[in-house]
Amino acid sequence: MREPDMQKLDALVGRLVGDIGAAVTGALVVLGDQVGIFRAMADGEPVNARELAAKTGLKERYLQEWLSAQAAADYIDYDEATNRFSLTPEQAMVFAEENSPAFFVGAFEVVQSMWVDEPKVADAFRTGKGVGWHEHSTCLFRGTERFFRPGYNSHLVTEWIPALNGVEEKLRSGASVADVGCGHGASTILMAQAYPASRFLGFDYHGPSIERARAAAEKAGVADRVTFEQSAAAQFPGRDYDMIAMFDCLHDMGDPVGAGRHVRETLAPDGTWMIVEPFAHDHLKDNLNPVGRVYYGASTMICTPASLSQDVGLGLGAQAGELRLRKVALDAGFTRFRRATETPFNMVFEVQA
């Protein structure tokens, strides 16, 4: 066995202390969200544990520990002179404001599902059978919506759709759109609100998500132009769609090529397939960074097991990259594929016949 370099060992242990702190703090973020602490502090007014207990109905002793831990993480501010804690405007945007473009609590719920479902994934490592999306804990479905919705709110209507050739004009005048793999319907509802002349159909194979999407459409007041149906990606009904969108889900599919062929069959002759996928470079070495760390971790625990649980089981993974995604589209029968735009977290592709 090689002798360890003690300086490198010390540096690694130091990083691990930080990582353990992040993991512990993540659980406290989910807790604080669930019991309403962040929302109670959203106004930015400094409070001590006793005052926060009166405001929330929670117990002072628990709140003191929670506040101290969050202050140690620099997720809330602490004023030693007054012994009070507060949220800065930036912290409130991240932890307390659900519709903020920087809201981040959903990401911690996704991570929560990885810990809860680890035994299922460990078994999949041994058997190779995979873990279906529907086999995960409920916090994954809720967290996924809450994690992706801020990005959609910030970019979908203002940047992504305008980057597609001629699509925005169609949507404004009245188009037929399918949102495949719609989950809780956040993307579908957002498009319906922005383009009231168009008709939107959301499809997802996960029944409980479809039920949640229908309720969300009613609440948002767009149920008159949005329909949600349970269906697999290679079987959704309808024809001559002006646009078919897939948001952060193509890589989860067992047979993305088969799904692409169905898209090809159901698009109008001049229709557009919009693919939104996690940002990734084509080579592993270029993805060894903080964003790649998150996406590879999620891919190991969620995305790849989901794909391997289905027929074909291509297992693209959340860091598939443009070249592999292009091959999927071309194998499905499309001839035009381009990266329309991107963010630090997503790539947006325009695919046409």
Side-chain angles (χ1 to χ4, degrees):
M1 184 175 177
R2 292 181 298 166
E3 287 293 322
D5 182 316
M6 297 309 295
Q7 287 187 329
K8 291 182 178 179
L9 178 61
D10 288 345
L12 176 59
V13 170
R15 291 200 303 274
L16 289 172
V17 170
D19 289 347
I20 290 294
V24 170
T25 304
L28 297 180
V29 167
V30 173
L31 172 64
D33 175 70
Q34 290 182 351
V35 300
I37 305 175
F38 288 120
R39 289 185 294 277
M41 298 180 67
D43 58 10
E45 290 298 318
V47 290
N48 58 32
R50 177 180 54 80
E51 293 163 342
L52 189 57
K55 195 173 185 179
T56 62
L58 302 173
K59 300 305 179 183
E60 178 181 346
R61 185 64 189 89
Y62 281 105
L63 286 170
Q64 182 63 49
E65 293 304 290
W66 185 92
L67 289 165
S68 301
Q70 296 298 87
D74 201 25
Y75 284 4
I76 64 174
D77 272 11
Y78 173 64
D79 181 20
E80 183 180 11
T82 62
N83 192 32
R84 281 176 168 81
F85 304 83
S86 62
L87 285 179
T88 66
E90 299 78 21
Q91 291 164 344
M93 287 184 69
V94 170
F95 297 116
E97 297 173 14
E98 188 88 21
N99 293 318
S100 157
F103 186 69
F104 221 79
V105 174
F108 289 97
E109 290 185 295
V110 173
V111 174
Q112 178 187 31
S113 78
M114 298 185 201
W115 285 101
V116 172
D117 296 329
E118 178 273 329
K120 298 176 183 178
V121 179
D123 187 59
F125 265 65
R126 299 183 185 99
T127 65
K129 292 181 179 180
V131 180
W133 178 264
H134 60 282
E135 297 179 83
H136 283 278
S137 301
T138 304
C139 53
L140 174 61
F141 317 137
R142 181 179 61 247
T144 297
E145 178 199 8
R146 299 177 82 199
F147 175 57
F148 283 115
R149 184 169 9 100
Y152 299 157
N153 287 343
S154 297
H155 303 290
L156 175 53
V157 172
T158 57
E159 299 171 26
W160 295 351
I161 289 177
L164 305 175
N165 289 325
V167 171
E168 186 171 41
E169 291 81 357
K170 291 180 181 179
L171 292 174
R172 292 195 184 283
S173 60
S176 176
V177 178
D179 187 357
V180 180
C182 65
H184 287 187
S187 53
T188 327
I189 292 168
L190 181 60
M191 290 188 290
Q193 290 171 325
Y195 306 108
S198 292
R199 177 75 182 173
F200 298 87
L201 294 93
F203 301 106
D204 201 288
Y205 94 97
H206 186 238
S209 288
I210 289 296
E211 293 175 9
R212 172 68 179 81
R214 287 170 178 163
E218 289 283 353
K219 184 177 180 180
V222 296
D224 60 323
R225 55 186 179 274
V226 176
T227 301
F228 289 104
E229 296 183 24
Q230 185 175 358
S231 177
Q235 298 172 347
F236 62 88
R239 298 193 70 83
D240 293 324
Y241 290 106
D242 296 292
M243 182 177 82
I244 296 176
M246 292 184 181
F247 295 95
D248 293 291
C249 65
L250 183 66
H251 65 273
D252 294 311
M253 297 177 189
D255 184 12
V257 175
R261 290 195 187 102
H262 190 63
V263 170
R264 179 77 176 82
E265 294 167 356
T266 54
L267 267 180
D270 62 343
T272 299
W273 181 17
M274 177 186 185
I275 303 173
V276 179
E277 280 286 297
F279 186 90
H281 299 285
D282 291 316
H283 301 289
L284 172 61
K285 66 179 179 62
D286 297 322
N287 294 324
L288 302 182
N289 52 57
V291 174
R293 181 187 188 188
V294 171
Y295 281 147
Y296 277 125
S299 189
T300 303
M301 299 298 291
I302 301 167
C303 309
T304 301
S307 179
L308 297 182
S309 73
Q310 304 167 51
D311 291 340
V312 180
L314 186 61
L316 280 176
Q319 294 286 268
E322 181 172 344
L323 288 179
R324 295 179 70 193
L325 295 167
R326 179 187 296 271
K327 185 177 187 306
V328 167
L330 297 181
D331 288 349
F334 290 90
T335 60
R336 289 178 286 174
F337 181 99
R338 75 175 182 96
R339 188 185 303 204
T341 188
E342 65 185 50
T343 72
F345 299 103
N346 285 105
M347 303 179 292
V348 181
F349 300 104
E350 176 187 81
V351 186
Q352 295 174 312

